Amino acid sequence: GAGVSQSPSNKVTEKGKDVELRCDPISGHTALYWYRQRLGQGLEFLIYFQGNSAPDKSGLPSDRFSAERTGESVSTLTIQRTQQEDSAVYLCASSPDLTDTQYFGPGTRLTVL
Amino acid sequence: QQQVKQSPQSLIVQKGGISIINCAYENTAFDYFPWYQQFPGKGPALLIAIRPDVSEKKEGRFTISFNKSAKQFSLHIMDSQPGDSATYFCAASKPSGSRLTFGEGTQLTVNP
């Protein structure tokens, strides 16, 4: 079946602009995660949605970052007033209910000039 | 605070050799320890995972060894192949559905 998809695959923006990144999880997966991967580094947790529960936003690095999820489907990560240090690959993952395996999408490479 | 430390940062192995990557964790609440494989331009893919109730898990050429008292776990790749050349990440999470805390990654190169 279809895996996690993310769009766009690449985004180049100017400092100070807002960007929206989209994630389509695997159908039926109730949990959805956003991670950030800086060049040559491991993945940093950003935010986690599980069903109808309040999202775990504890990994968001600043109030410029926000995310929404519509039911158990699409999620959007928004970065306002982008800064050069926001340049990274943003990865989305989804997971079936009550399991640990997270399935990752290909990521969106964000470059802030 | 770095909760999962991974070493080495890079590793070069000859075809047919054994690749060993090590991780250490701090948080005793972690109860799930996966390894992910990532190829350039792709998202990480789950390779193998273990829970603390066993000391070893083997799937094909890949084995996880787990030492709960030392809070360490390692990935062994037997008969390493050039196609195994990728970046490997260890990770850890608390009970079901929690975020993954990743190590910094090991870039493995298997020479033909």
Side-chain angles (χ1 to χ4, degrees), chain A residues 9-101:
Chain A
S9 55
N10 282 284
K11 176 71 176 179
V12 180
T13 190
E14 294 179 347
K15 178 181 173 180
K17 301 282 190 182
D18 298 352
V19 296
E20 283 191 354
L21 312 179
R22 177 187 168 109
C23 172
D24 285 88
I26 295 172
S27 178
H29 282 194
T30 59
L32 186 148
Y33 309 77
W34 284 97
Y35 294 87
R36 177 171 69 179
Q37 185 175 26
R38 291 197 165 113
L39 185 65
Q41 297 186 18
L43 284 71
E44 303 170 69
F45 167 79
L46 296 177
I47 187 169
Y48 156 55
F49 298 89
Q50 171 62 55
N52 295 321
S53 302
D56 177 355
K57 304 180 181 180
S58 59
L60 295 177
S62 78
D63 59 8
R64 297 186 296 103
F65 288 72
S66 63
E68 292 183 346
R69 187 181 186 192
T70 307
E72 293 186 353
S73 60
V74 173
S75 176
T76 302
L77 177 69
T78 301
I79 308 173
Q80 296 178 310
R81 305 182 302 282
T82 51
Q83 304 294 312
Q84 289 183 333
E85 62 263 28
D86 299 334
S87 295
V89 176
Y90 289 83
L91 290 156
C92 175
S94 70
S95 177
D97 191 25
L98 300 180
T99 71
D100 297 295
T101 303

Side-chain angles (χ1 to χ4, degrees), chain B residues 5 7-9 16 18 22 26 29 39 43 50 60 65 94 98 102:
Chain B
K5 295 183 180 179
S7 62
Q9 196 171 26
I18 302 173
N22 300 297
E26 299 171 3
F39 292 105
I50 198 168
S65 296
K94 299 178 190 177
S98 298
F102 283 85

Side-chain angles (χ1 to χ4, degrees), chain B:
Chain B
Q1 182 184 6
Q2 180 67 34
Q3 292 198 55
V4 178
K5 295 183 180 179
Q6 184 172 346
S7 62
Q9 196 171 26
S10 63
L11 180 62
I12 299 174
V13 174
Q14 292 299 117
K15 179 182 175 181
I18 302 173
S19 304
I20 302 174
I21 305 170
N22 300 297
C23 283
Y25 64 97
E26 299 171 3
N27 192 333
T28 55
F30 289 147
D31 75 341
Y32 175 71
F33 302 89
W35 284 89
Y36 279 82
Q37 179 188 56
Q38 186 177 32
F39 292 105
K42 305 290 186 182
L46 179 67
L47 193 60
I48 187 172
I50 198 168
R51 294 192 182 277
D53 53 345
V54 297
S55 60
E56 185 174 284
K57 183 175 181 180
K58 183 176 181 179
E59 290 183 1
R61 296 185 294 110
F62 301 93
T63 300
I64 299 179
S65 296
F66 185 83
N67 185 330
K68 186 174 181 178
S69 61
K71 294 188 286 186
Q72 295 176 347
F73 58 110
S74 60
L75 175 69
H76 295 232
I77 305 174
M78 310 300 287
D79 187 27
S80 300
Q81 299 297 312
D84 297 331
S85 297
T87 301
Y88 292 80
F89 293 96
C90 63
S93 70
K94 299 178 190 177
S96 248
S98 298
R99 69 177 78 175
L100 288 167
T101 299
F102 283 85
E104 301 244 315
T106 296
Q107 187 165 355
L108 172 65
T109 302
V110 181
N111 288 328

